[in-house]
């Protein structure tokens, strides 16, 4: 009985941690940089311009971006130059490999979700979810363009850590078991998670079966929390 409660509590905790972890939300991609995002989840739009300048450089403006892990971004990309360019979002090493591949197959046209090729004057957008923290790169892999300066970095900062709350058990002495009402009166020590000093209080119980294991005078160790607005014993050692 006691073991069953503890197990249930742990399962609930891990289920909620899994749900809160951004890495588990996308599902259909395994690129380190993330995956195609859901339009409805876009929280930020970043405008990126691609162009050539008079010094023969080919550039992205801006060329350093900072986003947060889990964020879904719409990149609105404009080719303001006079030749074709592309925006490829990936790990730096992947872009290097990809660039070598394009040197061997210059005619290659991509249709990957992390890439967008635009002719001069064209514009388009990519909606992207950054599932991992780290430094990534956006680049134009058309032969010669990267070497002319056409790359930038995306710093993805880690999402705030999900703190696993390990609740401490509180000691108490059973004063009265109110079987019919599914309540129990406990003379308890300080309940730190509720910021409640030691006192004698009536608690609900998460499961009526808990009452079968308690009788007047028993010293118990328990976890109490607010459940639907009522102070409830949620776990019992
Ligand atoms: Cu280019």
């Amino acid at each position: 009985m006691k073991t069953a409660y503890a197990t249930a509590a742990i399962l609930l905790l891990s289920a909620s941690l899994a749900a809160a972890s951004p890495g588990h939300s996308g599902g259909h991609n395994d690129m380190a940089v993330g995956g195609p995002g859901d339009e409805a989840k876009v929280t930020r739009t970043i405008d990126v311009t691609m162009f050539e300048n008079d010094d023969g450089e080919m550039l992205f403006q801006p060329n350093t971006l900072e986003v947060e892990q889990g964020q879904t971004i719409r990149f609105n990309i404009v080719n303001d130059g006079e030749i074709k360019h592309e925006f490829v979002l990936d790990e730096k090493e992947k872009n290097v490999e990809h660039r070598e591949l394009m040197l061997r197959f210059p005619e290659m046209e991509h249709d990957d979700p992390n890439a967008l090729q635009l002719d001069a004057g064209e514009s388009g957008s990519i909606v992207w979810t950054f599932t991992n923290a780290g430094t990534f790169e956006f680049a134009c892999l058309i032969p010669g363009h990267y070497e002319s300066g056409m790359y930038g970095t995306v710093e993805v900062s880690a999402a705030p850590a999900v703190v696993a709350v390990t609740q401490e058990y509180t000691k108490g002495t059973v004063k009265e078991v109110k079987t019919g009402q599914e309540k129990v009166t406990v003379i308890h020590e300080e309940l730190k998670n509720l910021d409640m000093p030691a006192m004698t209080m009536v608690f609900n119980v998460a499961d009526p079966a808990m009452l079968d294991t308690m009788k007047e005078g028993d010293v118990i160790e328990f976890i109490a929390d607010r459940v639907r607005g009522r102070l409830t014993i949620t776990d019992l050692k």
Side-chain angles (χ1 to χ4, degrees), residues 51-132:
F51 63 103
E52 313 93 45
N53 68 15
D54 295 340
D55 299 328
E57 290 175 309
M58 301 185 189
L59 302 166
F60 286 104
Q61 173 68 43
N63 62 9
T64 53
L65 301 174
E66 286 177 19
V67 304
E68 283 163 35
Q69 184 182 9
Q71 242 181 356
T72 298
I73 309 273
R74 181 193 292 107
F75 291 97
N76 282 343
I77 304 158
V78 178
N79 182 351
D80 222 1
E82 286 167 6
I83 56 172
K84 182 192 272 190
H85 291 294
E86 63 179 8
F87 175 94
V88 183
L89 193 59
D90 213 328
E91 291 164 88
K92 191 175 167 64
E93 311 80 72
K94 290 278 166 60
N95 275 343
V96 170
E97 287 171 24
H98 196 159
R99 192 148 50 91
E100 284 162 5
L101 200 63
M102 283 189 75
L103 279 172
R104 288 167 45 212
F105 302 98
E107 69 279 23
M108 201 159 60
E109 274 193 39
H110 304 287
D111 192 20
D112 298 311
N114 64 320
L116 186 66
Q117 267 198 1
L118 295 171
D119 283 322
E122 275 190 340
S123 58
S125 63
I126 290 180
V127 173
W128 195 261
T129 301
F130 290 89
T131 42
N132 297 297

Side-chain angles (χ1 to χ4, degrees), residues 188-201:
H188 65 82
E189 293 180 357
E190 181 187 2
L191 286 162
K192 287 180 185 152
N193 61 315
L194 295 169
D195 195 23
M196 182 190 289
M199 62 172 80
T200 301
M201 227 186 67

